[in-house]
Amino acid sequence: MSELERIRAEYARRAQDARYTEWYADANAANRFIEQERDAAIRSALREFPNILNRGARILDIGCGAGHELVKWQLLVAEARLCGIDLLEARLNNGRQRYPYLPLLWGDASALPLRDETFDVVMQFTVFSSILDGSLRQSVAREMKRVLKPGGIVLWYDYWLNPTNAQTVGMTLRQVRKLFPEFGMRVRRVTLAPPLARFLAPRSMKLCAWLNKIPLVRSHYLIVLSRETVKT
């Protein structure tokens, strides 16, 4: 089985697992808490790159799923030109029904059917942690850099540690630097570890907010990568 086949099979399995449907439902308290905190962190991080928020900026989401994260850019950028690509056709079909105006492409992010230097922002949310094969991760990173405009940014959100799922791998800062060696990095640790959030959020959102102040229990990195950023 190839790595792409493994990924397709894993997400097909998750689609049949009621836990995943419940965890990522809009009404799920933990999911709402995680998403609101992440969105606030993204808005804060982008203030350091005001040129990215110019009218008509082009945004690409690698592994866009149904396009839920991509459409948020309509509130950040006037007349944003959006595009998403995903390996899983069922997720894209859901997105096309929900957001019929979004250009959502079916394809492999290691061979993007897109022109060089097209996008102001290329984003990925938990794509790289789903890829176990190092050479495939390198190919996806190379394609992200190829389609990024000079002066554009890569917006990265992914696990740094995920010990509970053998089908994923935590992405350390060292691994991110290896994938994007010519880029500087602005790094934030975000997201109350989902198992904790799922346990606490139905009981106390205040306790979630309090615990989320402790960096050690935040399970993801939010990184803005830019060739013009001083390396950290």
Side-chain angles (χ1 to χ4, degrees):
M1 180 185 293
S2 73
E3 178 66 351
L4 292 177
E5 289 169 338
R6 184 198 64 80
I7 293 169
R8 288 191 183 99
E10 169 60 12
Y11 277 88
R13 181 193 68 80
R14 294 185 193 184
Q16 300 302 314
D17 189 331
R19 294 177 304 166
Y20 286 90
T21 301
E22 197 277 329
W23 287 345
Y24 296 108
D26 292 342
N28 182 281
N31 188 48
R32 288 200 313 272
F33 177 82
I34 288 169
E35 189 169 336
Q36 289 168 5
E37 184 254 358
R38 180 182 65 226
D39 290 352
I42 290 172
R43 290 192 298 270
S44 176
L46 290 175
R47 292 190 192 109
E48 299 183 49
F49 299 87
N51 60 304
I52 295 299
L53 304 180
N54 290 338
R55 180 181 297 273
R58 291 182 175 271
I59 318 296
L60 173 65
D61 188 2
I62 299 294
C64 65
H68 178 69
E69 297 300 328
L70 189 58
V71 297
K72 294 176 183 177
W73 284 87
Q74 293 173 319
L75 300 177
L76 295 172
V77 176
E79 300 177 17
R81 289 178 283 181
L82 308 176
C83 181
I85 187 166
D86 201 279
L87 187 63
L88 306 167
E89 198 165 15
R91 298 173 74 183
L92 291 171
N93 288 336
N94 290 338
R96 288 164 181 154
Q97 291 177 10
R98 189 170 185 179
Y99 311 112
Y101 55 88
L102 271 186
L104 300 178
L105 308 176
W106 180 45
D108 169 10
S110 67
L112 293 171
L114 300 164
R115 292 180 296 177
D116 294 358
E117 299 184 355
T118 301
F119 295 94
D120 300 283
V121 178
V122 180
M123 57 188 277
Q124 78 86 18
F125 282 23
T126 64
V127 169
F128 281 79
S129 58
S130 296
I131 303 172
L132 302 185
D133 181 76
S135 62
L136 182 58
R137 286 199 296 266
Q138 291 174 351
S139 295
V140 174
R142 184 166 54 249
E143 283 292 273
M144 292 172 74
K145 290 181 279 188
R146 179 182 66 79
V147 301
L148 187 68
K149 287 182 180 179
I153 63 170
V154 171
L155 183 64
W156 173 287
Y157 173 78
D158 220 327
Y159 294 98
W160 65 268
L161 177 66
N162 184 19
T164 63
N165 187 348
Q167 295 297 316
T168 63
V169 59
M171 295 298 300
T172 66
L173 293 181
R174 182 178 180 181
Q175 290 171 306
V176 180
R177 288 191 180 99
K178 191 172 181 180
L179 291 168
F180 296 90
E182 67 273 53
F183 283 63
M185 297 166 55
R186 303 276 180 95
V187 181
R188 302 178 184 215
R189 189 176 286 185
V190 298
T191 303
L192 181 64
L196 267 177
R198 291 174 193 135
F199 177 77
L200 293 173
R203 296 164 174 83
S204 173
M205 296 296 276
K206 288 184 178 179
L207 185 54
C208 281
W210 181 82
L211 272 180
N212 197 45
K213 295 177 182 178
I214 304 172
L216 187 62
V217 297
R218 298 181 196 150
S219 56
H220 292 59
Y221 285 125
L222 176 66
I223 308 174
V224 181
L225 295 132
S226 169
R227 292 185 179 94
E228 299 177 355
T229 307
V230 176
K231 286 190 176 182
T232 59

